[in-house]
Amino acid sequence: MQAAWSVAQRRLHWAMAGIVFVNFVLALVMVALPLSALFAKILTYQLHKSLGLLLIPLWAWRLWLLARRGRPAPVTLPAWQQGAARLGQGALYALLIAVPVLGFLSAAAAPVAVETVFFLILPIPHPFPPDQALYEVLRPLHQGAARALIVLALGHGAMAIHHHRKGLPILRLMWRGR
């Protein structure tokens, strides 16, 4: 166990949180844009897909750092709260990989074949051709998992603020490291 989260762990935490929330807003914008704003719609979709794909290596890096450096010693909480925190963090990690993977597979299966171009630079080949039936399964899974991720992340943040207000160093450890 380490005394505090490392600088890299803290930066990855906040960067991934920011990407998740920006991507959620982008999702709302991209579906609301009318077809008359097709260029903006395409750019917004590409940015959404690019940020989602960026989460995958960041997630892997974050898990690698966690395995290599560990985490700070647990703050004194009732056993049920420690268990709930572990369960919530496990669900967050699972959704942080499931949402972008489901999104990419949903984009691949979409009936209108639109290439995924990572930040408008690197084409990312889709693993299979468009498939309407598969799309109708994957798209709601992606949307539901994304909503669950947002709700869980908001709950995670709310609990960190709650504990901070009670004088526990949970938020301070992730913000400043000490």
Side-chain angles (χ1 to χ4, degrees):
M1 297 228 171
Q2 58 184 348
W5 295 106
S6 72
V7 172
Q9 286 172 307
R10 291 191 328 266
R11 287 183 179 164
L12 275 171
H13 173 273
W14 294 110
M16 290 178 74
I19 290 169
V20 166
F21 283 103
V22 165
N23 238 14
F24 186 72
V25 171
L26 281 173
L28 298 174
V29 169
M30 71 188 195
V31 297
L33 283 170
L35 285 178
S36 60
L38 187 59
F39 185 67
K41 193 172 189 78
I42 290 170
L43 288 178
T44 308
Y45 266 88
Q46 289 297 337
L47 180 57
H48 177 80
K49 293 192 288 185
S50 295
L51 288 172
L53 288 171
L54 182 60
L55 284 172
I56 296 170
L58 293 179
W59 176 85
W61 185 16
R62 193 162 167 197
L63 283 181
W64 178 80
L65 283 172
L66 184 61
R68 186 166 180 257
R69 296 185 176 166
R71 60 179 58 241
V75 173
T76 303
L77 292 173
W80 74 269
Q81 286 184 8
Q82 287 182 1
R86 276 192 302 276
L87 184 62
Q89 288 167 353
L92 278 169
Y93 275 103
L95 288 169
L96 281 168
I97 192 65
V99 171
V101 168
L102 286 168
F104 179 66
L105 296 176
S106 178
V112 177
V114 177
E115 186 176 31
T116 297
V117 185
F118 190 68
F119 292 108
L120 301 177
I121 298 170
L122 180 65
I124 307 291
H126 290 159
F128 43 78
D131 182 331
Q132 179 74 36
L134 184 57
Y135 177 73
E136 289 175 10
V137 170
L138 292 172
R139 185 168 185 241
L141 285 175
H142 171 63
Q143 290 172 332
R147 288 183 186 111
L149 176 57
I150 290 296
V151 168
L152 202 53
L154 288 171
H156 176 73
M159 289 311 299
I161 291 168
H162 168 76
H163 290 307
H164 178 75
R165 293 185 68 184
K166 290 196 171 262
L168 296 173
I170 295 169
L171 184 58
R172 189 177 69 245
L173 286 172
M174 188 49 80
W175 191 255
R176 293 190 203 135
R178 291 201 166 104

